[in-house]
Structure formats: structure tokens, C-alpha cells
Amino acid sequence: MWTPEFQSFVAPARAKPQVWRLLLGIVTVLGVYMLGIIAILLAVWALAGNAGLTGWMQRIALADTPTAVLLMLATFTGMAAGCGLAVRAWHGRAASTLSGAGTARGFAVAGIIAAVVFIMTMVILPAPFTLIRNTPADLFLSFLPLAILGLLVQTGAEEVLFRGYLQQQVAARFDHPFVWMVLPACLFGMLHLDPATAGPNAWLLVAAATLFGLVAADLTRVTGSIGAAWGMHFVNNAFAVLIVALDGSLSGLSWWKTPFTATNTDILRPLIAQDLITTIIIWAAIRLWLARRTGRAAAN
């Protein structure tokens, strides 16, 4: 399970691998993350006043308008900044060590593979319901550049935290892959638990997120970088936020939306199963590309 690439990826974390440092680092990340959210809310308060702040807090939580989606994505800036501060303050290493070598290339290749698989899935298995046109084309296009930037920030922050900081530091302290692969993936899944929004589907969505966390952890293990996991994560979220969103939460900027919410069981549960299979197919395709690249390198 330990690849040479992953050994190199974890090496910077070995200097100060103590668990107490990791715990303080997590507290630091959470603290900076919350400060980032507060800073955004203060900016909203300065523009909208006391009366407008409450309404905007609700919109940001639901992300049901284009601006609310951008503000929600912007809150993850604090998460990324917190990771950088934590490794500097408690582990004495640079924030650049959280990403690994070849991040940009891994992001690009995995993103292209994921996009191709998603498009093929939509063509081969059309939605068993009628999609509802959501955001007008001119409004969608005007928000698109900032939305892409926001998604890069959001997915990048989560990858830096879970596959960068947590996976690195846990692997530096514990050799067994169950600890440094499975536990961060389960934590990643649990942070997607939202019974208020998903109702009876809440735990199925946690399972889907946990599987994604395991796949992302494996790609990080094989490549020694968060790049491939980040590219796959970015494309996955781009399709869910910008192309087809569930009606309700996170539908504020999508091109289309579903005629049902996250609480639907009859249609959504088969779609969750399809999503699980799609995640595995994307992972397998990326691993195949990596294996061929390694084979070509060995042949040369």
C-alpha cells in the first residue's frame, strides 16, 4: 500500500508527526475557517445592514441564488488558509508540501477523464425524469468564471485538508493504511451528513461521499499528490453545482435542476447507486492511465 510516491508525499510530515500537533492543527483549521465565514458575513452586513444580513445568511446556507452560491464557495478560502497556517505553526513545514509533486498535471488528466465519463453517462443513461431549465443563459454565463474559481477553491480546500494535511500527518504517525486511508475518508463522508436537507437519503449520501473519499485517498497514495483527487473532485462538483443540481439546496446557479429535492427516495436512490458506480469507473479509468504512464516510463 505504501508507494514510493506516497513515501515522498508523506516525508515532510515525518519531522513533527505527534498526534497532539495534529489535533491543534485541526483546531487551527476550524478556527480560521470560521473566521473566514465571519469575514464574509461582515462584508454582507456592511453592504446589506442588519435587516439584510439574516436573509443573506439563509441564502448562503441554501445556496439557492447565484450570488449565494458564490458566497458559499468563498467560505472555503478560510479552510485552505487554515491548513497552510496549521502546518506552518504546528509542524514547521511550508504550505506547499500539502499538495505534492505534479499536482497540475494530475488535476488536468483526472479532470478530463472524469468529464468524459460524466458526459458519456449522461448520453448513455439519460435522466429518468424531465430536467427543469433553471438559470437563464446570460446570467449563467456572467457568473460562470467566478463559479469556476469558487469551485477550484472549494474542492481544492477540501483536498488540501483531507488528502493533504490529514492523510499526510496521519500516515506520518501510523503505518497501517486503514488509519491513513479509511479514517479520513469516513470523516469526509460524515461531514456530508445533512438529515435536514436529505431526509431518508442522508446516510446514502454519506456513503457516496465516503466512497469518494476512499477513491481520492487511493489516488493520492498512488500519485503522491492531491492533483488527481482534486481534478476528479472539481469535475464532480462542477456537474452537481453548475450542470444539474437537485432542486433546493445548491441549485442557485445550475443550468438545469431536478423536479425533486434531496428527500426523494423513488428516483434519487437509484441515481445515488448510479453515482457510486460512476465514481468507481472514473477511479478505474484514472488508475488505468496511471498504470500505462508508469509502464511507458519503465520501458524508456
Side-chain angles (χ1 to χ4, degrees):
M1 295 294 288
W2 281 84
T3 64
E5 293 82 2
F6 191 62
Q7 291 279 10
S8 299
F9 183 63
V10 176
R14 293 192 182 281
K16 296 181 179 181
Q18 294 86 355
V19 173
W20 66 267
R21 293 180 183 275
L22 174 60
L23 294 176
L24 287 175
I26 293 172
V27 172
T28 300
V29 173
L30 292 175
V32 177
Y33 180 42
M34 293 305 299
L35 287 175
I37 294 174
I38 292 171
I40 290 173
L41 293 178
L42 285 174
V44 171
W45 171 76
L47 293 172
N50 292 332
L53 178 60
T54 301
W56 272 108
M57 289 176 63
Q58 294 174 346
R59 294 190 193 102
I60 294 171
L62 292 174
D64 57 356
T65 68
T67 302
V69 171
L70 295 184
L71 290 173
M72 183 277 294
L73 295 174
T75 63
F76 287 84
T77 305
M79 180 183 292
C83 290
L85 179 61
V87 295
R88 174 66 71 179
W90 304 112
H91 306 282
R93 59 189 177 103
S96 59
T97 61
L98 290 167
S99 59
T103 299
R105 182 183 183 185
F107 176 93
V109 172
I112 291 171
I113 292 173
V116 169
V117 173
F118 272 118
I119 293 171
M120 290 178 62
T121 301
M122 293 178 70
V123 172
I124 297 172
L125 298 173
F129 51 85
T130 301
L131 292 171
I132 301 172
R133 279 288 288 117
N134 191 30
T135 308
D138 56 342
L139 185 62
F140 177 85
L141 293 174
S142 67
F143 275 86
L144 185 59
L146 287 176
I148 291 174
L149 178 61
L151 283 167
L152 286 171
V153 170
Q154 180 257 319
T155 54
E158 290 189 351
E159 291 307 315
V160 165
L161 174 58
F162 288 97
R163 262 62 71 178
Y165 184 47
L166 289 180
Q167 190 166 343
Q168 273 183 332
Q169 287 300 144
V170 173
R173 177 62 181 83
F174 301 98
D175 288 334
H176 201 287
F178 177 85
V179 183
W180 50 261
M181 280 188 70
V182 177
L183 292 185
C186 290
L187 178 60
F188 179 75
M190 286 301 299
L191 289 180
H192 288 76
L193 179 61
D194 187 5
T197 300
N201 295 319
W203 285 102
L204 291 175
L205 295 175
V206 168
T210 301
L211 175 64
F212 182 92
L214 287 171
V215 164
D218 179 71
L219 293 176
T220 302
R221 176 189 71 85
V222 173
T223 63
S225 162
I226 68 170
W230 186 9
M232 180 179 175
H233 197 166
F234 171 78
V235 171
N236 178 80
N237 285 22
F239 269 80
V241 173
L242 299 179
I243 308 302
V244 180
L246 289 169
D247 184 29
S249 182
L250 273 177
S251 64
L253 193 51
S254 61
W255 190 258
W256 291 288
K257 66 179 180 179
T258 64
F260 52 84
T261 67
T263 60
N264 179 283
T265 56
D266 294 336
I267 301 177
L268 187 57
R269 289 188 175 182
L271 292 178
I272 294 174
Q274 179 181 314
D275 180 67
L276 293 171
I277 295 171
T278 302
T279 297
I280 294 173
I281 292 172
I282 294 172
W283 166 77
I286 297 172
R287 286 294 304 269
L288 178 61
W289 174 81
L290 291 170
R292 289 184 174 179
R293 186 188 67 172
T294 302
R296 288 194 299 268
N300 294 331

